[in-house]
Amino acid sequence: MAQENVVIRFDGVSFSYNDTKIILDDADFSVRRNSIITIIGQNGAGKSTIFKLLLGRLKPQSGQINLEPGTTIGIAEQMVPADKLELDIVSYFKTALPDKEFGIEGDIKKILDTVNLNIQLTKKVKELSGGQKARLLLAYSLISNPDVLLLDEPTNNLDKVGISHLTNFLMNYQKTCIVISHDANFLNKFTDGVLNLDIHTHKIEQFVGNYFDVIEEIAAKLERDRLLNSRLKKSIRDRFEKVNKLGGKSIAMSRLARRIRVDIAEDREEMVEMRREDRTIPAFDIPCQEYVGDIIKIKKPIVTELVKGSRLLIKGPNGIGKSTLLKSIIERDSAEINPKIRVGYYSQDFSELDFQQTAYNSLYAISLTQKPQDIYEAAARFLLPGELLKNKIESLSDGQKGLLCYARFMLQHPGLLILDEPTNHINFRHIPVIADAIDKFEGPVILVSHHREFVRKIKEIRELDLDREF
């Protein structure tokens, strides 16, 4: 890769949050100017940490992060910071351009048009839907015209039209862009290369090509490494048997045994540190609360009662009020929920979680048994190891927060599930497993999701289209 075309270079970068939570170990990679690169890796592997290092919010313990002189970086984060939710649209953008005194409203209108977002500038950020916030975050990152654009799960909360617009935008983008996303079909349409993070080795592998080709290349490399290690293990095992037969019989045989031991040590050095493929969560059930009588009656915008086995999908474009309706149901403004019913809630922003709690205490607080063994077993099923449970929820990756929510459902035994974009932040490998668990859940489910493949796996689902019926 020609040096003059490189805009970002990681040179032997190591980073850890503490002695036990190593994220990067001697990482090397480079990004060419005007390329679009995807970062992939297991939940908690450090994808968002890469962004924080690029932005200077974190500093590496060793190694160098080199940017082309004068390079500016903008980021479209997953969620609007809490301290900006009360701002109106103009005030929000002024935080990105604090030195601009005149003409900012014209710039805002132009950039909102770029991301296909039509909203009043007097509106408060908190009043926007999840999909509108996703577009707003992209606009915010673009208004300063950065040389490098960082996108963290940009398709979260976007409807089909929004994803199509974002895809076309990236296919025609003329600058450097680095994307974190679990949406494989989305990534494959514009990716020039892939950075693959491994949570076990803390290394980064760099690949050139579109997303699906790279995934096949990774699988092929894994198989080659497996075969090489298998051959070396067999060779080591055979020579150990030979050493055992030779040892101590004569001086010559003892020398030969020493040479074989040296060969064995060299073969061990040749063994490849295998990248362990992403683990998929195993099949699981969400136990349903046992109850008799009414569960939930929705009063508006329709009047209907949901019983065991009911599935209601709330549809409509971004901004029409789907999440607002779910919150209204949760708060009992639009529905009557039997007070004895335990409600399992998955929100777009994890507002149901206390970020200052440890992951263990979050599970303990909702567990029916509150037995440590049950808590650790539920967490492990969702790839949340015991050491991680000691950490505050705020330190978890968003993918880990999502899996924590499903572990909570297992321990809670809810009588009703209310799910607002329940595939947000979830690795695509886990989505079919989660869809199957929701499909088998015996209680009623109220759902908002733009993930069509996920919704198709849930049978006998009734649709409420807010755009058509109201």
Side-chain angles (χ1 to χ4, degrees), residues 1 16 94 99 124-125 137 144 166-168 175-176 190 207 233 243 271-272 280 286 303-304 350 353 411-412 458:
M1 184 177 292
S16 61
K94 281 183 177 178
D99 298 327
K124 287 190 174 183
V125 174
L137 287 163
S144 59
L166 177 60
T167 302
N168 290 332
K175 291 190 175 184
T176 307
F190 53 77
F207 299 86
K233 285 178 181 178
V243 166
M271 289 185 70
V272 179
T280 302
I286 302 173
V303 177
T304 188
F350 301 121
L353 300 177
L411 295 168
Q412 181 191 20
I458 301 174

Side-chain angles (χ1 to χ4, degrees), residues 360-455:
Y360 179 89
N361 286 340
S362 179
L363 295 172
Y364 180 87
I366 208 165
S367 171
L368 292 187
T369 67
Q370 296 188 326
K371 293 179 180 178
Q373 180 180 346
D374 293 344
I375 292 168
Y376 284 113
E377 286 179 357
R381 182 175 285 272
F382 292 93
L383 311 183
L384 303 172
E387 278 298 312
L388 182 140
L389 296 187
K390 300 175 184 177
N391 299 334
K392 287 185 177 180
I393 292 174
E394 65 180 358
S395 73
L396 304 186
S397 73
D398 286 324
Q400 290 168 332
K401 292 186 185 91
L403 293 178
L404 179 69
C405 291
Y406 287 106
R408 281 165 54 93
F409 292 160
M410 277 190 65
L411 295 168
Q412 181 191 20
H413 295 206
L416 167 67
L417 287 178
I418 298 181
L419 309 174
D420 192 359
E421 299 290 359
T423 60
N424 272 8
H425 318 291
I426 299 295
N427 188 304
F428 71 93
R429 298 174 187 277
H430 307 324
I431 289 176
V433 181
I434 290 171
D436 185 58
I438 293 170
D439 180 55
K440 292 188 297 184
F441 177 66
E442 294 179 357
V445 178
I446 305 175
L447 171 71
V448 169
S449 177
H450 291 112
H451 197 299
R452 286 174 291 174
E453 290 79 10
F454 174 78
V455 171

Side-chain angles (χ1 to χ4, degrees), residues 286-343:
I286 302 173
C288 184
Q289 176 184 1
E290 295 183 5
Y291 49 81
V292 293
D294 297 338
I295 304 171
I296 176 172
K297 295 179 180 178
I298 297 177
K299 298 183 292 185
K300 55 183 179 180
I302 59 171
V303 177
T304 188
E305 181 175 355
L306 300 183
V307 298
K308 270 194 170 185
S310 299
R311 276 88 177 92
L312 180 64
L313 174 67
I314 299 174
K315 297 176 59 177
N318 289 145
I320 202 165
K322 301 183 297 297
S323 295
T324 300
L325 175 57
L326 288 191
K327 288 178 181 177
S328 179
I329 291 171
I330 286 279
E331 293 167 1
R332 274 66 169 179
D333 293 331
S334 297
E336 296 176 359
I337 301 177
N338 185 329
K340 295 181 180 179
I341 295 296
R342 293 188 293 272
V343 180

Side-chain angles (χ1 to χ4, degrees), residues 75-80 92 133-141:
I75 181 169
E77 301 188 83
Q78 292 192 34
M79 290 182 279
V80 178
Y92 173 70
K133 286 175 184 169
R135 299 183 195 192
L136 183 75
L137 287 163
L138 177 59
Y140 185 86
S141 68

Side-chain angles (χ1 to χ4, degrees), residues 79-101:
M79 290 182 279
V80 178
D83 61 346
K84 291 185 172 69
L85 290 172
E86 293 291 339
L87 299 177
D88 61 47
I89 301 302
V90 174
S91 299
Y92 173 70
F93 278 102
K94 281 183 177 178
T95 64
L97 300 172
D99 298 327
K100 190 174 180 72
E101 296 183 13

